Amino acid sequence: MQIKDLPYPDPGVPDARSGPRFLWWLFRNQLGGQLTSLAWGLLHFASVAALPFCVGVAVQAVVDRSGSRLALAGGLLALACVGNAVGDTFLHRTAITNWITAAARVQQLLARKAARLGSALTRRVAAGEVVAVSTGDVEKIGWFVEALSRFTAALVTIVLVCAGLLVYQPALGVVVAVGLPALALAVLPLLPRATRRADVQREKAGRATELASDTVAGLRVLRGIGGEDLFLDRYRRASQEVRHAAVRSARMWSLISAIQVLLPGLLLIAVVWHGVGLAREGRITVGELVTVYSSVMVLTYPLRHFEEIAMAYSFSRPSAKRAAGVLSLERATDTAGSRAAEIPSGDLYDPRTGLLAQAGLMTAVVCGDPDAAGRLAERLGGHPSQEGVPVLLGGVPLDDLPLDSARTAVLVQDKDPVLLSGTLRELLDVPASGAVAPHAALTAAQCDDVLAALAQGSLDTADPMDARITERGRSLSGGQRQRLALARSLVTDPEVLVLDEPTSAVDSHTEARIAQGVRELRAGRTTVVFTSSPLLLDRADRVAFLHEGEVVAVGTHSELVRTEPRYRAVVTRETDDEVTLSGPVALPDVLQELEEIEEKA
């Protein structure tokens, strides 16, 4: 896989049982790139390791006044330099390719998991955690995956050089063969402590990211209640904790780096001291001493990869653990699509609550608990957060359908829909039946003022459809964002459309027009609206009232207002005392007030 070929056609099924298993799975799935990187790494390190031998032969040729051997040494030196340059260039190229492709694979896996879980993801994992995994963690995971092949090449080179020195000059080769493993293993006692400090840093950084994400998401509300400074102070404290943890981690890694510099220097001194003694005794030549000395100096370069692989693993292990934790999440009910792909039609029925949405009608659902309404909306769309009896569409359990088919059949728009950045045309370019034109959807959602605002704010385009929408639509008001999201849902024209409080941020006049527009545009299609707005309830064909998780009353809005006190309390915002006093009797005053609101709208 090359960078130009990304994204992967299929990123595969990860082994998410643990962080190390996930890293090993990534390595195995990039075996071709790893072997390529290993081959170029061996060429690079072998060329570097050959330089001392070439220098030693040249020095000895000068001592012996041998022009032929000097020419041979020059040729070998030139060949080693070419091998070094070529190997280093392509090693860097393949290493970066392995890094980016590994990170891209993890990002694709995370995106696929997020799409599969839907809104259930943020119910089980904090949004900041998902952000931290999909940004900083994927880079650290890719770092370890690509560093592993370079470390292997460095390790093989060191073993071969030590073996070669033992054969070339046993007296000094023994010192090098014993000293180099000691250098590589000297930092092992410090690695557990360094790893723990790195884990603490990552944990604190993850919490700070979660806090920042939650604060930014709720910044408008925080400013409204005067809590902005409070949360900023909390983030400052969390940021300082991250800084202190990072300093403590850096101190340990700097100590390891210092040891990696000090010990090779001591080994070099030992080799020179012992080698000079052997040279005085005539047991080795000057060229051999220079060769061994230069080899020890050059081997400090591949030795650095021992420190790098330790750092890469220490930082990537907690990142891989976090990624595996997200990737191991599964939907509460997932039969992997035991039925063939189909788009069923008919009544939508929830056995748990007894809610029945008849085919082709607009059904409003009133629930006094907004959280319970949100959970029911998710269950109607086949995205239950808990196991239970599946929802039936035309008698077909949604859980038995392939996920794509279930989501095509039933579309759920939650109460806080997200608008991605881009043009309005791109926003409405979603999978759809083609029966509803974007203009018709925008008209039904009462988006005329939104189009005017977009056209006014985009001086470089005359068509509002080409106007750009900022990230999450922050340049628009809450009501404008809500209406654009509703238009996007209407464009898809699903078999069943579930809307959770679609007009909570608009005024009553606009709300009445939206209710009529949705009713007309969705004529003959099944629509379920979770709301407590009298304007929407009055336009619905049927209204179902849920109390304590069960449907306790079904009828029209006017019928339920007259006959069901608990329904009336939710819709008209009555207090418990008022409900007790009024009882299940007609309320002419309330009905008259509702009629006046509708007439004004």
Side-chain angles (χ1 to χ4, degrees):
M1 172 64 71
Q2 299 296 318
I3 296 177
K4 64 180 181 181
D5 299 324
L6 293 174
Y8 287 94
D10 180 12
V13 180
D15 186 349
R17 289 176 290 177
S18 65
R21 288 179 182 270
F22 180 59
L23 290 174
W24 176 242
W25 179 85
L26 282 175
F27 179 81
R28 286 190 292 108
N29 278 270
Q30 293 189 214
L31 191 58
Q34 296 293 339
L35 292 177
T36 303
S37 180
L38 176 61
W40 289 116
L42 287 174
L43 174 62
H44 170 57
F45 289 121
S47 299
V48 172
L51 293 176
F53 175 76
C54 299
V55 172
V57 171
V59 170
Q60 191 61 41
V62 172
V63 173
D64 296 339
R65 298 181 182 275
S66 174
S68 59
R69 281 191 294 165
L70 184 60
L72 175 63
L76 293 176
L77 187 62
L79 184 62
C81 290
V82 171
N84 181 22
V86 174
D88 190 24
T89 300
F90 285 94
L91 172 62
H92 180 75
R93 181 184 180 89
T94 55
I96 294 300
T97 300
N98 289 335
W99 187 342
I100 293 178
T101 51
R105 186 189 294 272
V106 178
Q107 286 184 324
Q108 276 190 254
L109 291 171
L110 292 170
R112 186 174 66 177
K113 180 61 65 173
R116 186 171 186 82
L117 293 177
S119 60
L121 175 61
T122 52
R123 291 183 181 272
R124 301 167 67 178
V125 181
E129 179 80 1
V130 179
V131 172
V133 172
S134 60
T135 53
D137 285 338
V138 296
E139 294 184 5
K140 293 177 175 58
I141 292 172
W143 178 26
F144 174 76
V145 172
E146 69 87 10
L148 195 56
S149 57
R150 289 189 290 112
F151 164 74
T152 305
L155 178 62
V156 171
T157 301
I158 290 175
V159 172
L160 292 177
V161 170
C162 289
L165 289 178
L166 284 173
V167 175
Y168 177 71
Q169 180 46 252
L172 286 176
V174 172
V175 177
V176 177
V178 173
L180 284 178
L183 294 182
L185 300 177
V187 297
L188 286 182
L190 298 177
L191 288 180
R193 180 175 298 181
T195 302
R196 286 194 298 269
R197 292 190 179 186
D199 291 347
V200 171
Q201 178 192 352
R202 294 299 307 153
E203 181 181 353
K204 291 184 179 296
R207 285 202 297 264
T209 303
E210 294 173 19
L211 180 60
S213 176
D214 295 340
T215 302
V216 171
L219 191 57
R220 187 186 298 269
V221 177
L222 291 175
R223 287 175 175 172
I225 63 176
E228 182 180 2
D229 292 337
L230 175 62
F231 275 80
L232 287 177
D233 289 339
R234 289 180 58 187
Y235 180 74
R236 288 191 187 99
R237 290 195 296 269
S239 179
Q240 289 302 312
E241 290 180 4
V242 175
R243 183 177 67 84
H244 291 307
V247 170
R248 294 185 73 249
S249 178
R251 286 173 180 169
M252 184 56 63
W253 287 112
S254 62
L255 176 60
I256 293 175
S257 298
I259 293 175
Q260 291 288 327
V261 173
L262 174 64
L263 294 184
L266 295 177
L267 177 62
L268 196 61
I269 293 173
V271 168
V272 172
W273 178 78
H274 185 53
V276 169
L278 295 176
R280 286 179 175 178
E281 296 174 1
R283 296 171 58 183
I284 63 173
T285 64
V286 175
E288 291 173 336
L289 176 59
V290 171
T291 298
V292 177
Y293 169 79
S294 302
S295 296
V296 175
M297 287 194 64
V298 169
L299 286 180
T300 58
Y301 168 58
L303 273 176
R304 296 175 190 170
H305 289 76
F306 285 77
E307 177 190 352
E308 182 188 8
I309 196 65
M311 291 184 64
Y313 182 73
S314 298
F315 281 97
S316 65
R317 186 177 58 84
S319 296
K321 181 180 179 181
R322 289 150 63 106
V326 175
L327 294 175
S328 63
L329 298 176
E330 296 293 343
R331 299 173 67 230
T333 54
D334 193 350
T335 59
S338 57
R339 286 177 174 265
E342 61 175 311
I343 309 299
S345 60
D347 297 342
L348 182 68
Y349 177 65
D350 178 29
R352 177 181 293 184
T353 61
L355 175 64
L356 174 65
Q358 294 181 358
L361 300 182
M362 180 176 177
T363 303
V365 181
V366 177
C367 181
D369 183 359
D371 293 334
R375 291 192 294 270
L376 176 56
E378 290 181 356
R379 193 161 62 250
L380 293 179
H383 317 141
S385 57
Q386 297 177 351
E387 294 186 3
V389 181
V391 172
L392 306 178
L393 178 58
V396 178
L398 290 179
D399 294 346
D400 292 348
L401 292 174
L403 190 58
D404 291 343
S405 299
R407 288 182 171 175
T408 301
V410 183
L411 173 65
V412 179
Q413 176 184 305
D414 60 26
K415 63 184 64 178
D416 187 23
V418 175
L419 301 182
L420 301 178
S421 60
T423 65
L424 180 57
R425 194 182 308 278
E426 292 171 340
L427 175 69
L428 299 180
D429 184 16
V430 293
S433 65
V436 178
H439 178 72
L442 291 168
T443 301
Q446 299 299 309
C447 294
D448 293 341
D449 64 318
V450 183
L451 297 178
L454 290 175
Q456 184 178 4
S458 302
L459 301 178
D460 56 342
T461 177
D463 189 352
M465 296 296 291
D466 294 325
R468 294 198 63 80
I469 300 173
T470 58
E471 190 268 334
R472 296 184 68 92
R474 297 189 185 279
S475 60
L476 304 173
S477 68
Q480 290 174 328
R481 291 196 300 270
Q482 197 172 56
R483 281 176 282 162
L484 283 180
L486 176 59
R488 180 179 58 187
S489 299
L490 294 174
V491 165
T492 61
D493 188 39
E495 182 69 27
V496 179
L497 176 59
V498 180
L499 304 173
D500 188 3
E501 295 289 352
T503 59
S504 59
V506 301
D507 60 81
S508 59
H509 299 282
T510 306
E511 187 176 30
R513 293 194 295 268
I514 291 175
Q516 187 63 30
V518 171
R519 179 182 175 86
E520 293 175 355
L521 191 65
R522 293 284 300 170
R525 307 288 267 172
T526 307
T527 306
V528 181
V529 183
F530 287 83
T531 183
S532 60
S533 168
L535 297 175
L536 282 175
L537 295 172
D538 191 56
R539 298 300 196 281
D541 297 303
R542 299 173 74 251
V543 179
F545 175 57
L546 269 74
H547 182 68
E548 295 182 352
E550 294 183 357
V551 175
V552 296
V554 178
T556 64
H557 170 57
S558 57
E559 292 173 351
L560 294 180
V561 167
R562 288 194 300 268
T563 60
E564 179 55 60
R566 292 170 296 184
Y567 174 84
R568 186 169 61 250
V570 174
V571 174
T572 64
R573 310 296 194 272
E574 288 183 357
T575 64
D576 294 339
D577 293 338
E578 292 172 333
V579 173
T580 303
L581 291 175
S582 61
V585 296
L587 295 180
D589 295 338
V590 174
L591 293 177
Q592 183 178 357
E593 181 181 352
L594 293 176
E595 291 175 358
E596 291 177 356
I597 293 175
E598 294 172 2
E599 290 175 358
K600 292 179 181 179

